[in-house]
Amino acid sequence: TVRDADMSIDAHVHLPTAPELDTRQKQKRRLLAEMRENGVEKCLLIADSWQQSDIGNNQECLALFADTPEVSVAAGVSPLVDFDRQCRALAAWLKEGRVSGIKLYPGHEDFPLTAPALERVYLLAQRYAVPVLFHSSGGRFPGRGTPEEAAAVLRRHPGLMLVCCHCFAPHVESCLPLLRYQNLYFDISSLADTPQLAEQTGRPLLELRRRAPDRVMFGSDYAACSQREHLRFARSLPLDGAAMQALLGLTARRLYRM
């Protein structure tokens, strides 16, 4: 059991996958049970950009959690997959207030953040004042989700709210030169994927949080990573009460209007 004072917001989750979770409803129940067990009050569920997906496409995730106010949905978009149809659907969901963010998967998919087609996404995000999240590569995918790309996008769109998922792990220090861009945010998902990674990223994460205390959010990348271990990692950081509250929920609540 977790006290109300310890409740948090997980700003980066996906539907869990396992052989026994063979329906979307079973995946939903497992996610909600995990949240209750770990004292997670709300979460941002990130849908896939592909129609056929184990973690659910946009339509499936929006329908699945339409009756679940504690789960907000970020829509996945790809310039590689029926892009015009995706953008038209995205515009309708944004107008209806059903989508809290837009997720891009550079690296997992073969396109850079600077792909010309994505101008349409960035303009939609600014029109409806929702953040764009991107998968940061940390060097695994050269030219895909890099600090240089993020900087280029923000120079072109200074009003865009951009969220760097995973903080370029394991190279969290790569975030620091980007702090000049006031609308760039970070979630710490996957940083506690292994004890070694948590140890490697802890010190630069503290420096990032020190310099940008209102722009770093808790996220776990559940179920690819452990939500429980990420909470343990976040709560182990030497932060005072207000700083911990900002990390564990207040920043995400404000950014995603939860």
Side-chain angles (χ1 to χ4, degrees), residues 113-114 134 145-158 162 168 174 177-181 184:
L113 288 174
T114 51
F134 73 94
T146 65
E148 294 77 14
E149 290 170 52
V153 169
L154 289 167
R155 283 195 300 269
R156 186 170 176 84
H157 298 283
L162 192 64
F168 302 110
S174 298
L178 297 175
L179 291 178
R180 71 188 73 169
Y181 302 104
L184 180 61

PDB file of all heavy atoms in Angstrom, residues 113-114 134 145-158 162 168 174 177-181 184:
ATOM      1  N   LEU A 113      13.800  13.760 -36.688  1.00  0.00           N
ATOM      2  CA  LEU A 113      12.838  14.764 -36.204  1.00  0.00           C
ATOM      3  C   LEU A 113      12.672  15.917 -37.185  1.00  0.00           C
ATOM      4  O   LEU A 113      11.651  16.615 -37.161  1.00  0.00           O
ATOM      5  CB  LEU A 113      13.299  15.326 -34.854  1.00  0.00           C
ATOM      6  CG  LEU A 113      13.189  14.418 -33.639  1.00  0.00           C
ATOM      7  CD1 LEU A 113      13.817  15.096 -32.429  1.00  0.00           C
ATOM      8  CD2 LEU A 113      11.729  14.076 -33.364  1.00  0.00           C
ATOM      9  N   THR A 114      13.660  16.118 -38.022  1.00  0.00           N
ATOM     10  CA  THR A 114      13.644  17.228 -38.972  1.00  0.00           C
ATOM     11  C   THR A 114      13.012  16.862 -40.312  1.00  0.00           C
ATOM     12  O   THR A 114      13.078  17.650 -41.255  1.00  0.00           O
ATOM     13  CB  THR A 114      15.074  17.727 -39.203  1.00  0.00           C
ATOM     14  OG1 THR A 114      15.914  16.595 -39.520  1.00  0.00           O
ATOM     15  CG2 THR A 114      15.623  18.420 -37.968  1.00  0.00           C
ATOM     16  N   PHE A 134       9.340  12.660 -28.222  1.00  0.00           N
ATOM     17  CA  PHE A 134      10.125  11.904 -29.190  1.00  0.00           C
ATOM     18  C   PHE A 134      11.036  10.909 -28.487  1.00  0.00           C
ATOM     19  O   PHE A 134      11.509  11.151 -27.375  1.00  0.00           O
ATOM     20  CB  PHE A 134      10.944  12.818 -30.109  1.00  0.00           C
ATOM     21  CG  PHE A 134      12.131  13.487 -29.467  1.00  0.00           C
ATOM     22  CD1 PHE A 134      13.401  12.927 -29.548  1.00  0.00           C
ATOM     23  CD2 PHE A 134      11.980  14.694 -28.793  1.00  0.00           C
ATOM     24  CE1 PHE A 134      14.497  13.555 -28.961  1.00  0.00           C
ATOM     25  CE2 PHE A 134      13.082  15.332 -28.212  1.00  0.00           C
ATOM     26  CZ  PHE A 134      14.335  14.755 -28.297  1.00  0.00           C
ATOM     27  N   GLY A 145      16.574  11.027 -33.722  1.00  0.00           N
ATOM     28  CA  GLY A 145      16.253  11.394 -32.349  1.00  0.00           C
ATOM     29  C   GLY A 145      17.448  11.927 -31.586  1.00  0.00           C
ATOM     30  O   GLY A 145      17.630  11.616 -30.410  1.00  0.00           O
ATOM     31  N   THR A 146      18.257  12.757 -32.223  1.00  0.00           N
ATOM     32  CA  THR A 146      19.497  13.250 -31.634  1.00  0.00           C
ATOM     33  C   THR A 146      19.304  14.638 -31.010  1.00  0.00           C
ATOM     34  O   THR A 146      18.341  15.341 -31.316  1.00  0.00           O
ATOM     35  CB  THR A 146      20.596  13.356 -32.705  1.00  0.00           C
ATOM     36  OG1 THR A 146      20.196  14.347 -33.661  1.00  0.00           O
ATOM     37  CG2 THR A 146      20.812  12.020 -33.401  1.00  0.00           C
ATOM     38  N   PRO A 147      20.246  15.063 -30.162  1.00  0.00           N
ATOM     39  CA  PRO A 147      20.187  16.430 -29.627  1.00  0.00           C
ATOM     40  C   PRO A 147      20.208  17.488 -30.729  1.00  0.00           C
ATOM     41  O   PRO A 147      19.518  18.511 -30.629  1.00  0.00           O
ATOM     42  CB  PRO A 147      21.437  16.517 -28.746  1.00  0.00           C
ATOM     43  CG  PRO A 147      21.741  15.113 -28.362  1.00  0.00           C
ATOM     44  CD  PRO A 147      21.342  14.283 -29.545  1.00  0.00           C
ATOM     45  N   GLU A 148      20.981  17.251 -31.777  1.00  0.00           N
ATOM     46  CA  GLU A 148      21.060  18.218 -32.866  1.00  0.00           C
ATOM     47  C   GLU A 148      19.717  18.389 -33.560  1.00  0.00           C
ATOM     48  O   GLU A 148      19.324  19.512 -33.924  1.00  0.00           O
ATOM     49  CB  GLU A 148      22.128  17.777 -33.875  1.00  0.00           C
ATOM     50  CG  GLU A 148      23.543  17.787 -33.337  1.00  0.00           C
ATOM     51  CD  GLU A 148      23.880  16.595 -32.436  1.00  0.00           C
ATOM     52  OE1 GLU A 148      23.107  15.602 -32.424  1.00  0.00           O
ATOM     53  OE2 GLU A 148      24.912  16.667 -31.729  1.00  0.00           O
ATOM     54  N   GLU A 149      18.997  17.273 -33.753  1.00  0.00           N
ATOM     55  CA  GLU A 149      17.678  17.353 -34.379  1.00  0.00           C
ATOM     56  C   GLU A 149      16.700  18.115 -33.487  1.00  0.00           C
ATOM     57  O   GLU A 149      15.925  18.958 -33.969  1.00  0.00           O
ATOM     58  CB  GLU A 149      17.132  15.951 -34.629  1.00  0.00           C
ATOM     59  CG  GLU A 149      17.833  15.177 -35.715  1.00  0.00           C
ATOM     60  CD  GLU A 149      17.358  13.739 -35.701  1.00  0.00           C
ATOM     61  OE1 GLU A 149      16.142  13.509 -35.724  1.00  0.00           O
ATOM     62  OE2 GLU A 149      18.215  12.840 -35.642  1.00  0.00           O
ATOM     63  N   ALA A 150      16.727  17.816 -32.184  1.00  0.00           N
ATOM     64  CA  ALA A 150      15.819  18.505 -31.263  1.00  0.00           C
ATOM     65  C   ALA A 150      16.074  20.006 -31.293  1.00  0.00           C
ATOM     66  O   ALA A 150      15.119  20.812 -31.331  1.00  0.00           O
ATOM     67  CB  ALA A 150      15.991  17.958 -29.846  1.00  0.00           C
ATOM     68  N   ALA A 151      17.347  20.392 -31.303  1.00  0.00           N
ATOM     69  CA  ALA A 151      17.686  21.813 -31.346  1.00  0.00           C
ATOM     70  C   ALA A 151      17.194  22.454 -32.636  1.00  0.00           C
ATOM     71  O   ALA A 151      16.659  23.574 -32.627  1.00  0.00           O
ATOM     72  CB  ALA A 151      19.201  21.987 -31.207  1.00  0.00           C
ATOM     73  N   ALA A 152      17.349  21.750 -33.748  1.00  0.00           N
ATOM     74  CA  ALA A 152      16.906  22.293 -35.033  1.00  0.00           C
ATOM     75  C   ALA A 152      15.397  22.513 -35.059  1.00  0.00           C
ATOM     76  O   ALA A 152      14.904  23.535 -35.553  1.00  0.00           O
ATOM     77  CB  ALA A 152      17.337  21.358 -36.165  1.00  0.00           C
ATOM     78  N   VAL A 153      14.659  21.564 -34.517  1.00  0.00           N
ATOM     79  CA  VAL A 153      13.195  21.694 -34.477  1.00  0.00           C
ATOM     80  C   VAL A 153      12.791  22.880 -33.607  1.00  0.00           C
ATOM     81  O   VAL A 153      11.911  23.674 -33.968  1.00  0.00           O
ATOM     82  CB  VAL A 153      12.557  20.387 -33.965  1.00  0.00           C
ATOM     83  CG1 VAL A 153      11.068  20.593 -33.648  1.00  0.00           C
ATOM     84  CG2 VAL A 153      12.731  19.273 -34.992  1.00  0.00           C
ATOM     85  N   LEU A 154      13.435  23.035 -32.462  1.00  0.00           N
ATOM     86  CA  LEU A 154      13.053  24.112 -31.548  1.00  0.00           C
ATOM     87  C   LEU A 154      13.502  25.483 -32.051  1.00  0.00           C
ATOM     88  O   LEU A 154      12.860  26.492 -31.738  1.00  0.00           O
ATOM     89  CB  LEU A 154      13.602  23.826 -30.153  1.00  0.00           C
ATOM     90  CG  LEU A 154      12.883  22.665 -29.454  1.00  0.00           C
ATOM     91  CD1 LEU A 154      13.655  22.210 -28.236  1.00  0.00           C
ATOM     92  CD2 LEU A 154      11.467  23.054 -29.068  1.00  0.00           C
ATOM     93  N   ARG A 155      14.559  25.527 -32.808  1.00  0.00           N
ATOM     94  CA  ARG A 155      14.922  26.808 -33.443  1.00  0.00           C
ATOM     95  C   ARG A 155      13.858  27.216 -34.454  1.00  0.00           C
ATOM     96  O   ARG A 155      13.511  28.395 -34.569  1.00  0.00           O
ATOM     97  CB  ARG A 155      16.284  26.692 -34.135  1.00  0.00           C
ATOM     98  CG  ARG A 155      17.471  26.737 -33.185  1.00  0.00           C
ATOM     99  CD  ARG A 155      18.771  26.996 -33.926  1.00  0.00           C
ATOM    100  NE  ARG A 155      19.058  25.961 -34.912  1.00  0.00           N
ATOM    101  CZ  ARG A 155      19.774  24.855 -34.661  1.00  0.00           C
ATOM    102  NH1 ARG A 155      20.252  24.648 -33.433  1.00  0.00           N
ATOM    103  NH2 ARG A 155      20.000  23.971 -35.605  1.00  0.00           N
ATOM    104  N   ARG A 156      13.328  26.248 -35.162  1.00  0.00           N
ATOM    105  CA  ARG A 156      12.303  26.531 -36.167  1.00  0.00           C
ATOM    106  C   ARG A 156      10.944  26.784 -35.529  1.00  0.00           C
ATOM    107  O   ARG A 156      10.133  27.565 -36.047  1.00  0.00           O
ATOM    108  CB  ARG A 156      12.214  25.362 -37.150  1.00  0.00           C
ATOM    109  CG  ARG A 156      11.280  25.608 -38.328  1.00  0.00           C
ATOM    110  CD  ARG A 156      11.434  24.527 -39.372  1.00  0.00           C
ATOM    111  NE  ARG A 156      10.504  24.678 -40.462  1.00  0.00           N
ATOM    112  CZ  ARG A 156      10.677  25.469 -41.518  1.00  0.00           C
ATOM    113  NH1 ARG A 156      11.786  26.178 -41.618  1.00  0.00           N
ATOM    114  NH2 ARG A 156       9.775  25.543 -42.476  1.00  0.00           N
ATOM    115  N   HIS A 157      10.681  26.112 -34.390  1.00  0.00           N
ATOM    116  CA  HIS A 157       9.380  26.217 -33.720  1.00  0.00           C
ATOM    117  C   HIS A 157       9.592  26.535 -32.236  1.00  0.00           C
ATOM    118  O   HIS A 157       9.400  25.668 -31.378  1.00  0.00           O
ATOM    119  CB  HIS A 157       8.594  24.910 -33.856  1.00  0.00           C
ATOM    120  CG  HIS A 157       8.273  24.541 -35.270  1.00  0.00           C
ATOM    121  ND1 HIS A 157       7.272  25.154 -35.990  1.00  0.00           N
ATOM    122  CD2 HIS A 157       8.837  23.627 -36.098  1.00  0.00           C
ATOM    123  CE1 HIS A 157       7.218  24.635 -37.200  1.00  0.00           C
ATOM    124  NE2 HIS A 157       8.161  23.706 -37.298  1.00  0.00           N
ATOM    125  N   PRO A 158       9.982  27.749 -31.898  1.00  0.00           N
ATOM    126  CA  PRO A 158      10.272  28.075 -30.488  1.00  0.00           C
ATOM    127  C   PRO A 158       9.059  27.960 -29.577  1.00  0.00           C
ATOM    128  O   PRO A 158       9.216  27.823 -28.365  1.00  0.00           O
ATOM    129  CB  PRO A 158      10.791  29.520 -30.559  1.00  0.00           C
ATOM    130  CG  PRO A 158      10.317  30.049 -31.866  1.00  0.00           C
ATOM    131  CD  PRO A 158      10.261  28.881 -32.800  1.00  0.00           C
ATOM    132  N   LEU A 162       8.292  20.381 -26.569  1.00  0.00           N
ATOM    133  CA  LEU A 162       8.924  19.154 -27.024  1.00  0.00           C
ATOM    134  C   LEU A 162       9.413  18.373 -25.814  1.00  0.00           C
ATOM    135  O   LEU A 162      10.019  18.938 -24.910  1.00  0.00           O
ATOM    136  CB  LEU A 162      10.096  19.487 -27.950  1.00  0.00           C
ATOM    137  CG  LEU A 162      10.727  18.352 -28.751  1.00  0.00           C
ATOM    138  CD1 LEU A 162       9.728  17.763 -29.747  1.00  0.00           C
ATOM    139  CD2 LEU A 162      11.975  18.846 -29.492  1.00  0.00           C
ATOM    140  N   PHE A 168      18.164  10.893 -23.753  1.00  0.00           N
ATOM    141  CA  PHE A 168      19.311  10.456 -24.555  1.00  0.00           C
ATOM    142  C   PHE A 168      20.138   9.389 -23.835  1.00  0.00           C
ATOM    143  O   PHE A 168      21.360   9.304 -24.006  1.00  0.00           O
ATOM    144  CB  PHE A 168      20.212  11.636 -24.933  1.00  0.00           C
ATOM    145  CG  PHE A 168      19.520  12.723 -25.708  1.00  0.00           C
ATOM    146  CD1 PHE A 168      19.271  13.950 -25.115  1.00  0.00           C
ATOM    147  CD2 PHE A 168      19.095  12.510 -27.011  1.00  0.00           C
ATOM    148  CE1 PHE A 168      18.628  14.959 -25.817  1.00  0.00           C
ATOM    149  CE2 PHE A 168      18.446  13.509 -27.723  1.00  0.00           C
ATOM    150  CZ  PHE A 168      18.212  14.738 -27.125  1.00  0.00           C
ATOM    151  N   SER A 174      23.933  14.887 -22.459  1.00  0.00           N
ATOM    152  CA  SER A 174      23.602  15.510 -23.744  1.00  0.00           C
ATOM    153  C   SER A 174      22.408  16.449 -23.644  1.00  0.00           C
ATOM    154  O   SER A 174      22.200  17.282 -24.536  1.00  0.00           O
ATOM    155  CB  SER A 174      23.309  14.434 -24.792  1.00  0.00           C
ATOM    156  OG  SER A 174      24.437  13.616 -25.020  1.00  0.00           O
ATOM    157  N   PRO A 177      23.235  20.981 -22.821  1.00  0.00           N
ATOM    158  CA  PRO A 177      23.360  22.117 -23.755  1.00  0.00           C
ATOM    159  C   PRO A 177      22.022  22.560 -24.361  1.00  0.00           C
ATOM    160  O   PRO A 177      21.943  23.656 -24.915  1.00  0.00           O
ATOM    161  CB  PRO A 177      24.292  21.568 -24.842  1.00  0.00           C
ATOM    162  CG  PRO A 177      25.022  20.437 -24.204  1.00  0.00           C
ATOM    163  CD  PRO A 177      24.039  19.832 -23.255  1.00  0.00           C
ATOM    164  N   LEU A 178      21.000  21.715 -24.249  1.00  0.00           N
ATOM    165  CA  LEU A 178      19.705  22.040 -24.853  1.00  0.00           C
ATOM    166  C   LEU A 178      18.806  22.854 -23.928  1.00  0.00           C
ATOM    167  O   LEU A 178      17.705  23.250 -24.320  1.00  0.00           O
ATOM    168  CB  LEU A 178      18.979  20.749 -25.249  1.00  0.00           C
ATOM    169  CG  LEU A 178      19.667  19.886 -26.305  1.00  0.00           C
ATOM    170  CD1 LEU A 178      18.891  18.593 -26.502  1.00  0.00           C
ATOM    171  CD2 LEU A 178      19.797  20.637 -27.624  1.00  0.00           C
ATOM    172  N   LEU A 179      19.265  23.101 -22.710  1.00  0.00           N
ATOM    173  CA  LEU A 179      18.407  23.792 -21.739  1.00  0.00           C
ATOM    174  C   LEU A 179      18.129  25.235 -22.133  1.00  0.00           C
ATOM    175  O   LEU A 179      17.232  25.866 -21.566  1.00  0.00           O
ATOM    176  CB  LEU A 179      19.029  23.724 -20.346  1.00  0.00           C
ATOM    177  CG  LEU A 179      19.043  22.331 -19.720  1.00  0.00           C
ATOM    178  CD1 LEU A 179      19.724  22.367 -18.361  1.00  0.00           C
ATOM    179  CD2 LEU A 179      17.632  21.776 -19.588  1.00  0.00           C
ATOM    180  N   ARG A 180      18.869  25.748 -23.097  1.00  0.00           N
ATOM    181  CA  ARG A 180      18.582  27.112 -23.582  1.00  0.00           C
ATOM    182  C   ARG A 180      17.192  27.179 -24.221  1.00  0.00           C
ATOM    183  O   ARG A 180      16.620  28.265 -24.340  1.00  0.00           O
ATOM    184  CB  ARG A 180      19.642  27.536 -24.596  1.00  0.00           C
ATOM    185  CG  ARG A 180      19.546  26.817 -25.935  1.00  0.00           C
ATOM    186  CD  ARG A 180      20.706  27.110 -26.861  1.00  0.00           C
ATOM    187  NE  ARG A 180      21.912  26.441 -26.415  1.00  0.00           N
ATOM    188  CZ  ARG A 180      23.011  26.348 -27.153  1.00  0.00           C
ATOM    189  NH1 ARG A 180      23.059  26.925 -28.330  1.00  0.00           N
ATOM    190  NH2 ARG A 180      24.072  25.714 -26.695  1.00  0.00           N
ATOM    191  N   TYR A 181      16.667  26.028 -24.649  1.00  0.00           N
ATOM    192  CA  TYR A 181      15.339  25.988 -25.260  1.00  0.00           C
ATOM    193  C   TYR A 181      14.306  25.778 -24.145  1.00  0.00           C
ATOM    194  O   TYR A 181      14.169  24.684 -23.599  1.00  0.00           O
ATOM    195  CB  TYR A 181      15.264  24.883 -26.311  1.00  0.00           C
ATOM    196  CG  TYR A 181      16.311  25.055 -27.394  1.00  0.00           C
ATOM    197  CD1 TYR A 181      17.445  24.247 -27.417  1.00  0.00           C
ATOM    198  CD2 TYR A 181      16.177  26.040 -28.362  1.00  0.00           C
ATOM    199  CE1 TYR A 181      18.425  24.416 -28.391  1.00  0.00           C
ATOM    200  CE2 TYR A 181      17.148  26.223 -29.342  1.00  0.00           C
ATOM    201  CZ  TYR A 181      18.267  25.411 -29.348  1.00  0.00           C
ATOM    202  OH  TYR A 181      19.232  25.586 -30.310  1.00  0.00           O
ATOM    203  N   LEU A 184      11.676  22.823 -23.929  1.00  0.00           N
ATOM    204  CA  LEU A 184      12.107  21.431 -24.002  1.00  0.00           C
ATOM    205  C   LEU A 184      12.003  20.789 -22.622  1.00  0.00           C
ATOM    206  O   LEU A 184      12.553  21.300 -21.640  1.00  0.00           O
ATOM    207  CB  LEU A 184      13.547  21.335 -24.508  1.00  0.00           C
ATOM    208  CG  LEU A 184      14.124  19.923 -24.632  1.00  0.00           C
ATOM    209  CD1 LEU A 184      13.316  19.076 -25.612  1.00  0.00           C
ATOM    210  CD2 LEU A 184      15.586  19.978 -25.063  1.00  0.00           C
TER     211      LEU A 184
END
